[in-house]
């Protein structure tokens, strides 16, 4: 067994798959043009969302919840803020301004600030990217943040 195989075994397939998907998705973007974009915070958010989605999926009492479903929601959690990568690259100045606006107004959601500075948000851009790249709908970021909150609340209430 190689050290890579041993590492993958110790980390677990979900972590290795998540990191692989994350690296593949990030490759086309240069987020370093946006000085306020915190790549560590981005990946922490992505991995926490993936873990929360996985935990919620496993907590569902539904008999239809199988490992394929759990993997799907895990991947969706990783990809949920994909549009932010794109915005930090393609609209760096507007994203920079939105991140500063969010920092000055902690009660705001980042998408509120992005709508003000870029006339779009990361959910909308993420949904467009997912469609353009042919990412399955089940993995695609939602284009509506209200729908996301309602879905999360619905899933959480089933527990």
């Amino acid at each position: 067994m190689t050290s890579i195989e041993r590492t993958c075994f110790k980390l677990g397939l979900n972590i290795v798959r998540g990191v692989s998907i994350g690296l593949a998705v990030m490759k086309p973007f240069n987020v370093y043009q946006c000085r306020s974009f915190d790549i560590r915070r981005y990946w922490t958010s992505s991995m926490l969302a993936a873990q929360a989605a996985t935990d919620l999926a496993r907590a569902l009492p539904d008999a239809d919840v199988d490992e394929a479903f759990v993997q799907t929601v895990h991947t969706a959690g990783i990809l949920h803020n994909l549009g932010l990568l794109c915005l930090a690259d393609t609209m760096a100045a507007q994203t920079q301004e939105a991140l500063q606006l969010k920092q000055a107004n902690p009660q705001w959601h980042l998408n509120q600030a992005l709508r003000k500075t870029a006339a779009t948000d990361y959910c909308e851009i993420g949904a467009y990217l997912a469609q353009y790249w042919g990412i399955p709908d089940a993995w695609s970021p939602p284009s509506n943040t209200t729908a996301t909150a309602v879905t999360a609340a619905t899933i959480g209430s089933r527990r």
Side-chain angles (χ1 to χ4, degrees):
M1 182 182 278
T2 69
S3 62
I4 291 175
E5 288 170 327
R6 193 172 318 132
T7 301
C8 290
F9 179 75
K10 284 184 178 182
L11 288 174
L13 188 55
N14 281 344
I15 298 292
V16 173
R17 182 181 295 128
V19 169
S20 299
I21 289 168
L23 290 173
V25 165
M26 186 172 177
K27 188 172 181 157
F29 302 109
N30 178 10
V31 297
Y32 300 104
Q33 297 176 56
C34 181
R35 291 181 323 278
S36 292
F37 185 82
D38 183 347
I39 195 70
R40 284 186 179 175
R41 183 176 181 153
Y42 175 85
W43 285 117
T44 299
S45 169
S46 293
M47 297 313 270
L48 287 172
Q51 187 61 54
T54 300
D55 292 347
L56 286 170
R58 287 200 169 115
L60 289 172
D62 228 349
D64 293 337
V65 175
D66 59 7
E67 196 56 32
F69 174 75
V70 172
Q71 291 301 319
T72 297
V73 298
H74 185 265
T75 302
I78 293 169
L79 298 177
H80 85 280
N81 56 3
L82 170 65
L84 189 53
L85 285 175
C86 184
L87 286 169
D89 177 24
T90 61
M91 299 178 78
Q94 294 92 331
T95 304
Q96 172 77 19
E97 187 180 350
L99 289 166
Q100 291 170 339
L101 193 58
K102 164 71 173 127
Q103 188 173 12
N105 299 282
Q107 73 280 10
W108 284 23
H109 187 279
L110 179 56
N111 275 337
Q112 287 177 278
L114 284 166
R115 283 241 168 251
K116 196 167 191 59
T117 63
T120 190
D121 64 43
Y122 69 81
C123 292
E124 186 173 69
I125 298 299
Y128 171 78
L129 274 176
Q131 181 181 20
Y132 182 77
W133 287 348
I135 294 174
D137 287 345
W139 291 0
S140 298
S143 60
N144 182 321
T145 54
T146 304
T148 306
V150 169
T151 302
T154 302
I155 291 171
S157 69
R158 289 186 184 172
R159 193 156 199 218

